[in-house]
Amino acid sequence: MANVLIGICGGIASYKVCDLIRDLKREGYNVKTILTPFAEKFLSPMTFETLSGNKSYTDKDWPKEPLAHINLARWADAFLIAPTTANTISKIACGIADNLLTTTVLAYGKALIVAPAMNTVMYKAPQVQENLNKLKEIGHIVVEPEFGVLACEEVGEGKLASKERLIDWIYYYLEEKGLKGKKVLITCGATKEYIDPVRFISNESSGEMGFSLAKICRWKGAQVKVIAGFTTAQEPPEIEIKRVKTAEEMRKKVLENFDWSDIVIMNAAVSDFKPVKTESKKIKKKERITLELVKNVDILEELGKIKERKILVGFALESERLIEHAREKLIRKNLDLIVANPAEVMGTKHHKGFLITKEEIKEFSFSSKLESARFIVEYLVGKFLQGGG
Ligand code: CTP
């Protein structure tokens, strides 16, 4: 797994990096840390050594290891600075190398992931903003701080980005950009078709697969938009998510964004039926009622008719004759790829199925939806974008 170097500056948010290191270790990364002299006043190197299982470097180590800045820079596959203070932002922008951290930055020579955290007034100071813009121009990634109550008890922008966002940016940084310049539209979750204002019919769907696909596509350099029905899975960070309720609303949003897209992945569990009529008032209890349903519009089939050169990916969940039924949908809906899953994967962590195109069938089986999503997206890139078909 990759080596992540974390530079820690002297800010109160440095305590949050402890939790981040634990999570990165759990995800399998090797972590090393460098503390600025002021960071040492907040937390001791021993804290970071215990969490990372590796030496935590400070300026005091330099005389003992004069090439520490070069060695650390060569070791790192990704270099995150969190929290980054106004002082360190400004030093990096000017190329100042007056401690082990800022010297390692110069020796690294590649894009950094810079996560500022400070008081709002300091963050908004024109000098800091100008220097942050300079970092972006150089090609560094600036992970914008969040809005909230700050350590100084002021409310505003300046909170260190959440560890979920920081980890997501590390994944982004390390991923090959096979989808650079591509625009991917993904639907996920379940639509609800309302019987009355409080009752509805729907499908089982957590949205986890769609969100995982969105993450992988973003990490691979695509611009991603997600149109989501109802979901229970955690939303992916840094991705635009538009929420819809019914199949009709989903259809409208998908069509609005269809021209924008190069690739459309219809992962949503769209309700195949809707009540003929939605009552405007809550239906009172009765011994028996009859619900009349009509077929909903098939969004994917509609897209298949107007797709031209876009890549269209559908999903099929089947209880029987999986490959045969999925193949039939691939042809009927004019798709480039269909992901066929047996119904038994519903609600389980383990995920398996087949990728089916007109020419081939590929079986897959993974212990998480994120791994399956990676397999699907990499297959798509290899087959349709790198001339692998
Ligand atoms: N889909 C859609 N609009 C619908 C129903 C489904 O766009 N009204 C899309 C789903 O997002 C999925 C694919 O079509 O990508 C397959 O959905 P599925 O319900 O399995 O297939 P159906 O064509 O509805 O066939 P059946 O329910 O008979 O299996």
Side-chain angles (χ1 to χ4, degrees):
M1 201 62 180
N3 295 338
V4 179
L5 182 60
I6 306 182
I8 300 157
C9 301
I12 183 59
S14 54
Y15 81 91
K16 295 181 179 170
V17 178
C18 299
D19 218 15
L20 173 74
I21 294 172
R22 235 180 29 180
D23 279 18
L24 285 171
K25 290 280 294 173
R26 276 188 198 136
E27 305 243 345
Y29 289 107
N30 302 313
V31 179
K32 286 188 181 176
T33 49
I34 308 176
L35 273 65
T36 63
F38 205 56
E40 271 189 87
K41 297 197 188 300
F42 283 92
L43 287 164
S44 105
M46 204 162 93
T47 310
F48 299 106
E49 277 171 12
T50 311
L51 290 165
S52 69
N54 280 316
K55 183 171 171 49
S56 180
Y57 289 79
T58 68
D59 283 14
K60 292 186 200 96
D61 296 301
W62 229 349
K64 288 175 258 162
E65 194 185 330
L67 288 180
H69 57 297
I70 306 291
N71 297 337
L72 286 165
R74 284 185 185 154
W75 175 86
D77 297 310
F79 192 172
L80 164 73
I81 307 181
T84 324
T85 52
N87 189 37
T88 297
I89 288 168
S90 304
K91 282 190 209 172
I92 300 173
C94 298
I96 294 171
D98 66 344
N99 60 31
L100 180 59
L101 174 59
T102 49
T103 310
T104 309
V105 164
L106 282 187
Y108 185 59
K110 291 178 276 181
L112 303 163
I113 308 170
V114 175
M118 67 198 76
N119 164 275
T120 308
V121 181
M122 290 172 71
Y123 178 65
K124 296 243 164 97
Q127 304 92 315
V128 172
Q129 285 300 316
E130 197 183 319
N131 286 333
L132 279 170
N133 285 337
K134 211 162 153 191
L135 295 191
K136 289 181 204 164
E137 277 162 29
I138 295 169
H140 298 309
I141 294 168
V142 175
V143 185
E144 306 294 343
E146 294 172 13
F147 188 94
V149 183
L150 308 173
C152 55
E153 292 185 0
E154 276 178 32
V155 177
E157 255 172 287
K159 266 169 84 90
L160 180 67
S162 67
K163 66 175 182 197
E164 289 76 18
R165 285 179 64 209
L166 295 176
I167 293 173
D168 195 78
W169 276 106
I170 292 170
Y171 272 102
Y172 170 89
Y173 183 85
L174 292 168
E175 191 78 43
E176 276 192 38
K177 299 289 177 278
L179 284 173
K180 192 164 186 274
K182 297 291 172 202
K183 294 180 179 127
V184 186
L185 183 64
I186 298 170
T187 67
C188 69
T191 65
K192 286 183 180 174
E193 311 302 323
Y194 284 85
I195 299 164
D196 69 18
V198 293
R199 301 183 181 97
F200 55 83
I201 57 167
S202 189
N203 284 321
E204 186 73 41
S205 174
S206 66
E208 193 185 342
M209 185 40 132
F211 286 162
S212 299
L213 286 163
K215 275 191 201 175
I216 303 278
C217 289
R218 183 184 105 77
W219 296 344
K220 290 191 176 290
Q223 260 179 274
V224 180
K225 282 187 190 176
V226 172
I227 298 172
F230 289 84
T231 56
T232 51
Q234 194 177 4
E235 286 189 6
E238 315 290 337
I239 287 175
E240 186 184 336
I241 302 176
K242 292 182 191 341
R243 290 284 174 179
V244 294
K245 288 184 179 152
T246 63
E248 197 41 62
E249 280 177 36
M250 182 168 277
R251 171 181 176 266
K252 202 164 157 260
K253 272 273 170 284
V254 167
L255 290 176
E256 269 170 31
N257 288 284
F258 192 60
D259 274 352
W260 168 88
S261 66
D262 301 305
I263 301 167
V264 180
I265 307 179
M266 275 294 300
N267 173 247
V270 186
S271 204
D272 282 330
F273 308 101
K274 64 177 176 188
V276 170
K277 184 168 179 270
T278 302
E279 298 296 336
S280 59
K281 294 205 174 74
K282 189 176 168 223
I283 301 170
K284 292 306 270 178
K285 221 186 277 131
K286 288 175 201 154
E287 275 310 316
R288 177 184 291 224
I289 63 163
T290 304
L291 193 60
E292 199 183 345
L293 304 174
V294 283
K295 192 170 173 285
N296 247 332
V297 59
D298 191 312
I299 306 169
L300 193 52
E301 197 162 341
E302 196 174 342
L303 298 182
K305 292 186 180 124
I306 53 169
K307 86 180 202 49
E308 294 178 348
R309 295 173 65 83
K310 293 184 197 298
I311 298 168
L312 210 51
V313 181
F315 277 72
L317 187 77
E318 309 285 348
S319 306
E320 53 185 2
R321 302 219 297 261
L322 175 61
I323 294 176
E324 187 188 327
H325 284 158
R327 254 187 158 279
E328 180 277 319
K329 283 177 195 174
L330 175 88
I331 308 295
R332 172 163 51 89
K333 301 193 187 194
N334 191 24
L335 309 179
D336 298 284
L337 170 69
I338 193 155
V339 184
N341 300 123
E344 75 231 36
V345 301
M346 289 289 294
T348 61
K349 277 248 161 284
H350 198 92
H351 193 250
K352 62 178 182 179
F354 298 88
L355 300 189
I356 304 174
T357 61
K358 287 186 189 95
E359 303 85 27
E360 65 179 339
I361 298 175
K362 249 190 160 45
E363 190 168 6
F364 67 89
S365 176
F366 294 103
S367 58
S368 76
K369 290 206 169 121
L370 191 68
E371 285 173 87
S372 291
R374 176 181 292 285
F375 181 75
I376 295 165
V377 175
E378 283 179 355
Y379 178 83
L380 210 136
V381 171
K383 181 142 184 92
F384 300 107
L385 302 174
Q386 291 172 345

